[in-house]
């Protein structure tokens, strides 16, 4: 009895999880370390099948493993051990090393598993791999930039001499030869610029700018460039901090990414350009005191394998057919963003599309975290279910000096009106799914009878207005510019 108590104490104090199951997979013992790892209390697991602690596909295949071992004696885990995944009570998964031993109790087999959590080890391995890749890209960048710089000097000499020669020849044949040579040297100069961009040695003309405004302009160009088979959408976060970046290079980077995305969707698909702000408190933004503005380019294409993702930023690496890609597009984007103080991340899987995230250091914190960066004007609540239009109108209002809170539904607007007493005006789209703008206006006035309202709509349907209590509404615009013209607003705004 004393020996059993000692063993029980050892098991209860072990750092690793210890679990015992019978021949049918039913849990008989579950030590405190298992409770910390999986999040289940002992009474929630004892007497239940061990499959509840496994994610798919282990959960579905477990009974077959045990049955196959009993019938054939072929070991897959028992006495061998392997790395597997566990499933916590909250549904999250974690990696661990599992060692299983077999014993006999009352002439029946039992199985004792020792579980060693390797989450931190995996994280450290990933960080080492990221560091290795970073050092590799740094070395390639330095080499590429050095070669491009020297090659650029050689091209300058060749081009200068060709231009001098062009001034001294008179026959058409010689001029055609010189023109062809100058054309080739110009293409070579363009190539060296791309290599210098990857090596972070290009000359940037950085300035403070609003990334959302640039994206709206680029998206209009892309709709004509990518063709009818690719739908271009934007999802722009309102109130985005400014960034300091070369606008021309950022525009080229987005066009490069969009063209790559189109090639990954030969049968058509959707390209989405999205922005958001990572605050300094976010784990992904810890390296910037002001956080990051993130520009994401998302496609619904073929995706990338792990091997392709590991090499995608290397110069001249391409998965396209010969003659259809230089392999410099993504490497140039990587170099430009890195030279601008940011970094690039890729999330992609075969068959599930690709998301490329450009992280650029933010220059200011958002209005919610710094009163100094907030506009001085009153707060406007903007309601529109169209994300693109909501972002555009929000940017316009902010440029006029107003604070803007933008939402996509009437229900969300009512929640704000109940909690935020600073709202000085509500602008709402008339035609929205669910609660229309007119219904929202009526309910808003029940909460705040003196709240000024502005109704906007892409369709001038007077019957909508006449069908509500807003029939006496008169045209106006609550702006500092008397020339602004919008639809209808509640009298007194």
């Amino acid at each position: 009895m004393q020996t059993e108590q000692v063993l029980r104490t050892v098991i209860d104090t072990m750092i690793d999880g210890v679990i015992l199951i019978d021949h049918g997979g039913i849990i008989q013992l579950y030590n405190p370390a298992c409770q910390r790892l999986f999040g289940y209390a002992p009474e929630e697991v004892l007497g239940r099948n061990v499959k509840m602690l496994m994610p798919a596909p282990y959960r579905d295949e477990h009974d077959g493993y045990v049955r196959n071992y009993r019938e054939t004696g072929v070991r897959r885990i028992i006495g061998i051990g392997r790395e597997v995944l566990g499933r916590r009570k909250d549904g999250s998964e974690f990696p661990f090393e599992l060692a299983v031993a077999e014993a006999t109790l009352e002439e029946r087999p039992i199985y004792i598993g020792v579980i060693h959590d390797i989450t931190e080890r995996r994280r450290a391995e990933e960080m080492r791999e990221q560091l290795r890749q970073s050092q590799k890209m740094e070395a390639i960048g330095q080499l590429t930039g050095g070669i491009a710089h020297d090659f650029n000097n050689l091209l300058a000499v060749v081009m200068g001499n060709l231009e001098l020669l062009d001034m001294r020849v008179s026959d058409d044949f010689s001029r055609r030869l010189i023109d062809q040579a100058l054309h080739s040297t110009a293409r070579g100069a363009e190539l060296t610029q791309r290599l210098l961009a990857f090596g972070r040695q290009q000359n940037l003309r950085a300035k403070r700018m609003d990334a959302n405004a640039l994206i709206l302009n680029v998206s209009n160009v892309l709709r004509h460039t990518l063709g009818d088979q690719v739908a271009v959408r934007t999802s722009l976060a309102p109130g985005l901090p400014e960034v300091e970046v070369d606008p021309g290079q950022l525009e080229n980077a987005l066009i490069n990414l969009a063209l790559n995305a189109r090639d990954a969707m030969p049968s058509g698909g959707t390209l989405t350009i999205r922005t958001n702000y990572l605050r300094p408190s976010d784990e992904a933004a810890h390296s910037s005191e002001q956080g990051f503005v993130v520009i994401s380019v998302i496609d619904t294409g073929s995706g990338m394998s792990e091997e392709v993702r590991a090499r995608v930023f290397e110069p001249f690496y391409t998965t396209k057919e010969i003659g259809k890609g230089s392999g410099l597009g993504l490497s140039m984007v990587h170099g430009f963003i890195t030279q601008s103080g940011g970094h690039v991340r890729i999330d992609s899987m075969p068959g599930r599309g690709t998301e490329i995230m450009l992280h650029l250091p933010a220059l200011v914190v958002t209005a919610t975290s710094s009163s100094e960066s907030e506009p001085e004007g009153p707060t406007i609540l903007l309601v529109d279910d169209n994300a693109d239009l909501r972002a555009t109108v929000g940017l316009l209002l902010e440029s006029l000096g107003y604070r803007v809170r933008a939402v996509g539904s009437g229900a969300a607007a009512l929640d704000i009106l109940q909690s935020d007493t600073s709202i000085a005006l509500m602008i709402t789209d008339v035609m929205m799914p669910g609660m229309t703008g007119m219904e929202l206006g009526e309910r808003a006035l029940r909460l705040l009878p003196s709240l000024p309202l502005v109704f906007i709509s892409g369709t001038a349907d007077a019957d909508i207005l006449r069908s509500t209590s807003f029939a006496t509404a008169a045209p106006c615009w609550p702006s500092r510019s008397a020339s602004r013209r919008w639809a209808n607003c509640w009298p007194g705004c």
Side-chain angles (χ1 to χ4, degrees):
M1 191 67 176
Q2 188 174 3
T3 302
E4 292 180 2
Q5 291 177 346
V6 170
L7 289 174
R8 185 71 197 195
T9 301
V10 170
I11 292 173
D12 288 347
T13 56
M14 285 181 66
I15 297 176
D16 290 335
V18 177
I19 191 167
L20 185 147
I21 63 173
D22 63 16
H23 64 285
I26 304 303
I27 300 172
Q28 305 294 326
L29 184 145
Y30 177 86
N31 76 337
C34 281
Q35 184 175 348
R36 291 191 297 271
L37 288 172
F38 292 98
Y40 288 101
E43 58 270 18
E44 295 178 285
V45 297
L46 292 175
R48 298 185 62 184
N49 196 296
V50 73
K51 291 188 295 184
M52 67 180 292
L53 305 178
M54 303 175 184
Y58 305 107
R59 179 175 59 249
D60 303 324
E61 298 173 356
H62 175 263
D63 290 344
Y65 290 156
V66 176
R67 183 171 56 254
N68 182 70
Y69 170 68
R70 289 203 304 264
E71 293 175 355
T72 66
V74 176
R75 298 172 180 265
R76 298 189 61 179
I77 298 180
I78 298 170
I80 299 173
R82 62 184 291 190
E83 291 186 7
V84 295
L85 290 177
R87 184 177 184 276
R88 299 186 181 95
K89 184 178 180 179
D90 61 8
S92 62
E93 299 177 5
F94 68 100
F96 63 85
E97 287 181 341
L98 175 63
V100 180
E102 182 183 14
T104 302
L105 180 65
E106 297 178 355
E107 299 183 354
R108 287 181 176 271
I110 58 171
Y111 306 96
I112 304 98
V114 178
I115 300 166
H116 179 65
D117 186 7
I118 58 172
T119 302
E120 292 301 323
R121 190 175 79 189
R122 283 281 183 86
R123 186 176 293 121
E125 290 173 353
E126 290 173 0
M127 292 179 65
R128 283 195 295 271
E129 178 61 21
Q130 290 174 3
L131 177 60
R132 189 188 71 81
Q133 287 290 340
S134 176
Q135 292 172 336
K136 171 185 173 183
M137 296 297 288
E138 180 73 22
I140 294 176
Q142 290 177 356
L143 175 63
T144 304
I147 293 174
H149 184 271
D150 291 343
F151 187 59
N152 211 34
N153 290 339
L154 294 174
L155 283 176
V157 174
V158 173
M159 187 175 292
N161 281 280
L162 286 171
E163 290 174 346
L164 289 172
L165 186 60
D166 187 45
M167 297 167 60
R168 287 165 172 76
V169 299
S170 56
D171 61 288
D172 290 339
F173 180 73
S174 297
R175 285 187 179 276
R176 287 200 302 270
L177 293 178
I178 292 172
D179 287 342
Q180 290 178 6
L182 284 171
H183 178 70
S184 295
T185 54
R187 290 185 62 187
E190 181 183 345
L191 176 62
T192 58
Q193 281 302 114
R194 294 188 177 189
L195 292 173
L196 287 170
F198 171 73
R200 290 173 283 166
Q201 297 179 26
Q202 62 181 334
N203 294 322
L204 297 179
R205 296 179 177 87
K207 67 177 186 179
R208 293 176 70 105
M209 60 166 293
D210 178 0
N212 280 347
L214 182 140
I215 290 169
L216 286 173
N217 290 331
V218 172
S219 63
N220 291 328
V221 174
L222 292 177
R223 289 186 176 93
H224 298 289
T225 304
L226 301 183
D228 296 335
Q229 286 189 308
V230 178
V232 179
R233 298 176 181 172
T234 57
S235 177
L236 308 179
L240 201 66
E242 289 185 318
V243 294
E244 187 167 11
V245 69
D246 186 322
Q249 293 292 342
L250 179 57
E251 185 172 316
N252 287 338
L254 294 175
I255 292 173
N256 251 313
L257 296 177
L259 293 175
N260 276 348
R262 181 195 61 186
D263 293 342
M265 300 182 289
S267 301
T270 301
L271 174 75
T272 303
I273 304 179
R274 183 177 65 201
T275 60
N276 67 293
Y277 173 53
L278 287 180
R279 291 175 173 79
S281 57
D282 295 329
E283 183 179 353
H286 67 277
S287 60
S288 172
E289 292 182 359
Q290 299 290 353
F292 287 100
V293 169
V294 183
I295 304 174
S296 300
V297 179
I298 308 162
D299 67 59
T300 56
S302 54
M304 302 180 191
S305 65
E306 185 176 348
E307 293 75 18
V308 172
R309 288 199 310 272
R311 300 190 58 193
V312 73
F313 293 127
E314 295 180 12
F316 303 111
Y317 177 78
T318 179
T319 58
K320 300 176 184 177
E321 297 177 17
I322 296 175
K324 291 190 175 182
S326 65
L328 288 173
L330 286 177
S331 63
M332 185 179 69
V333 172
H334 179 275
F336 156 64
I337 295 297
T338 306
Q339 189 175 356
S340 301
H343 59 274
V344 185
R345 287 185 55 211
I346 291 184
D347 183 11
S348 181
M349 290 184 66
R352 298 188 182 181
T354 298
E355 178 177 2
I356 298 182
M357 293 155 277
L358 311 180
H359 291 65
L360 291 167
L363 291 183
V364 295
V365 294
T366 57
T368 56
S369 56
S370 174
S371 58
E372 295 180 0
S373 65
E374 292 182 352
E376 297 178 357
T379 302
I380 294 177
L381 176 59
L382 175 62
V383 191
D384 198 307
D385 63 301
N386 186 303
D388 292 349
L389 185 58
R390 190 166 67 240
T392 304
V393 176
L395 291 171
L396 170 63
L397 293 171
E398 288 177 350
S399 72
L400 295 171
Y402 295 103
R403 298 182 181 92
V404 178
R405 296 197 66 179
V407 294
S409 68
L414 291 175
D415 288 340
I416 290 177
L417 291 174
Q418 289 174 335
S419 60
D420 190 345
T421 59
S422 69
I423 302 298
L425 168 73
M426 182 174 76
I427 301 176
T428 177
D429 185 16
V430 174
M431 303 301 294
M432 295 189 296
M435 188 188 307
T436 68
M438 310 310 294
E439 293 169 340
L440 170 60
E442 291 178 335
R443 295 180 63 174
L445 289 181
R446 295 191 198 118
L447 292 173
L448 301 170
S450 61
L451 177 69
L453 306 176
V454 172
F455 298 102
I456 60 176
S457 179
T459 57
D461 190 346
D463 291 337
I464 297 177
L465 288 174
R466 282 194 289 269
S467 66
T468 69
S469 60
F470 302 113
T472 58
C476 70
W477 172 247
S479 160
R480 297 170 185 175
S481 171
S483 64
R484 300 286 182 182
R485 291 175 291 118
W486 285 71
N488 292 280
C489 74
W490 185 251
C493 69

